[in-house]
Amino acid sequence: MLIQMKKASDVLSSEITRKSFYMNRRKFIQAAGAVSGAALFPSIAPPAFAASAKLENVQKSQWGGSLQPTSLESIMSHNNFYEFGTGKSDPKENAHTLKPKPWTVEIAGHAKNTGRFNFEDLVKPHQLEERIYRMRCVEAWSMVIPWVGIPLASLIKKAEPTGNAKYVAFETLVDPKQMPGQRGRSLKWPYVEGLRMDEAMNPLTIMAVGIYGEELPNQNGAPLRLVVPWKYGFKGIKSIVKITFTEKEPPSTWNKQAPQEYGFYSNVNPDVNHRRWSQARERPITGEGGLAALFAKKIDTLKFNGYAEEVAHLYQGMDLKKFF
Ligand code: MTE
């Protein structure tokens, strides 16, 4: 994020494809594989684009039905996931080495039900809902993503945190064999993030396990990642293996890396510029295709990314220039 920053306008037009095109291409690949053996098509089916599993019975939700989602191909091709490299296309190229199944998550700290849990015990299929959220990156580009997930609040309730739990801390897997970027020192590992308990319990906050009705692609943080739509994208920690209830504010990776540039709260705020660039506007990556995406007009960034009604009350009385 700090290094090798590409502008949204650097996204190749060939990357911007509608989902229908992507799905048809995948059907073609599957059909071809069934007839002649998938090994015949290695070059058109890179591992990160391998067919993922459809999530059944996903409930629609009240969030985002009217928003036009970004194309799946853009969502899967323009990523930040330093465990697989610092370039935007590195995660797509390299994330096939991640093994999201089987997966366990440790729950620790101030809660009654701590321990190590299988993914399947934490995320039940009947709970899954679609949430189409605007997502705003601190690098001043944005996407609309049709996530599938569960409210983080439901998972927290099962853990039964005690009165001492004021914050929730999250950690990503550390395994340099699966995550080649961890062999270098682009960041301190594990990637960590945190939320205040009331932010974590807010109905907008979800643990995402899918996109466009299918399991999360590895490069987007399989098998489960945090999504907090009123905060900059870097709060959305990926491939989580540990959740800890803490009394004190937990560390967050970008805040540790550059405290003058990234605060703990990281709420989308057009009035508080990043040290080195403005946050007043953003370039939407819409997935409208080709030139439309390349030359997408910048739009004004909204306070709390447009979710002020749902979350502004969480910060009443706080000076958001100080707690940025
Ligand atoms: N989580 C981990 N573990 N490692 C990362 O490098 N990058 C963050 C966040 N979560 C990151 C991470 C940043 S900077 C952003 S903008 C979002 O993931 C990007 O999510 P996306 O690639 O699914 O759009």
Side-chain angles (χ1 to χ4, degrees):
M1 198 162 65
L2 287 168
I3 328 167
Q4 290 190 358
M5 284 222 324
K6 260 192 193 176
K7 293 194 273 346
S9 55
D10 292 338
V11 179
L12 292 176
S13 59
S14 58
E15 287 178 78
I16 314 290
T17 328
R18 281 187 174 282
K19 186 180 186 224
S20 55
F21 172 76
Y22 167 81
M23 298 306 278
N24 287 339
R25 185 186 71 153
R26 211 175 55 181
K27 269 188 206 143
F28 167 73
I29 292 167
Q30 283 168 344
V35 176
S36 0
L40 288 175
F41 297 92
S43 61
I44 55 167
F49 279 96
S52 56
K54 190 164 164 31
L55 295 163
E56 301 296 339
N57 302 322
V58 176
Q59 307 295 313
K60 293 276 172 215
S61 78
Q62 67 184 90
W63 278 284
S66 61
L67 296 171
Q68 165 74 46
T70 299
S71 70
L72 181 60
E73 184 130 353
S74 294
I75 295 171
M76 293 172 71
S77 312
H78 190 77
N79 301 104
N80 280 320
F81 201 171
Y82 275 41
E83 285 84 341
F84 297 101
T86 56
K88 292 282 174 284
S89 55
D90 290 344
K92 173 181 142 186
E93 298 298 328
N94 302 329
H96 58 275
T97 49
L98 176 67
K99 294 194 192 72
K101 283 181 194 170
W103 195 267
T104 60
V105 178
E106 187 188 345
I107 298 191
H110 296 290
K112 283 189 195 150
N113 301 323
T114 55
R116 192 173 286 283
F117 299 90
N118 289 324
F119 172 87
E120 292 75 13
D121 294 328
L122 294 176
V123 181
K124 301 285 184 195
H126 71 268
Q127 291 182 292
L128 295 180
E129 347 173 336
E130 182 175 72
R131 301 281 187 98
I132 306 177
Y133 283 157
R134 285 181 290 268
M135 303 301 296
R136 167 68 155 76
C137 181
V138 74
E139 294 163 0
W141 48 268
S142 60
M143 293 190 185
V144 172
I145 303 190
W147 301 107
V148 176
I150 62 166
L152 177 60
S154 70
L155 201 152
I156 291 179
K157 279 180 199 152
K158 278 191 210 158
E160 294 193 52
T162 68
N164 290 332
K166 307 277 187 262
Y167 295 87
V168 192
F170 304 88
E171 279 182 41
T172 293
L173 175 72
V174 179
D175 182 354
K177 281 198 193 116
Q178 294 187 58
M179 298 180 144
Q182 289 179 335
R183 293 173 209 154
R185 294 189 182 175
S186 55
L187 291 175
K188 277 198 189 126
W189 315 110
Y191 192 100
V192 292
E193 257 307 338
L195 294 174
R196 222 170 53 188
M197 187 60 101
D198 57 352
E199 297 178 316
M201 293 297 288
N202 186 277
L204 280 182
T205 308
I206 58 167
M207 275 290 176
V209 300
I211 290 174
Y212 270 116
E214 299 192 10
E215 287 174 357
L216 273 182
N218 286 357
Q219 60 267 45
N220 293 92
L224 82 170
R225 54 95 50 90
L226 185 64
V227 172
V228 197
W230 71 94
K231 292 179 183 281
Y232 292 115
F234 62 87
K235 294 296 277 186
I237 179 171
K238 300 178 171 182
S239 305
I240 294 168
V241 290
K242 189 169 180 185
I243 300 175
T244 310
F245 295 95
T246 66
E247 200 161 1
K248 294 209 175 100
E249 185 182 285
S252 69
T253 284
W254 287 102
N255 179 237
K256 280 195 305 186
Q257 193 82 4
Q260 335 72 333
E261 305 196 352
Y262 307 101
F264 173 77
Y265 283 93
S266 305
N267 291 325
V268 174
N269 191 341
D271 303 330
V272 177
N273 288 334
H274 183 274
R275 271 267 177 118
R276 288 177 285 140
W277 61 87
S278 164
Q279 293 295 352
R281 291 167 72 71
E282 68 200 49
R283 193 180 295 281
I285 299 179
T286 60
E288 284 300 319
L291 293 177
L294 263 180
F295 297 106
K297 260 195 166 170
K298 283 194 173 179
I299 56 168
D300 288 343
T301 286
L302 300 172
K303 198 146 182 192
F304 299 114
N305 202 24
Y307 297 100
E309 204 177 307
E310 288 86 357
V311 299
H313 66 276
L314 298 175
Y315 309 102
Q316 244 166 23
M318 283 175 75
D319 176 355
L320 296 182
K321 291 209 159 89
K322 189 169 162 212
F323 298 101
F324 62 97

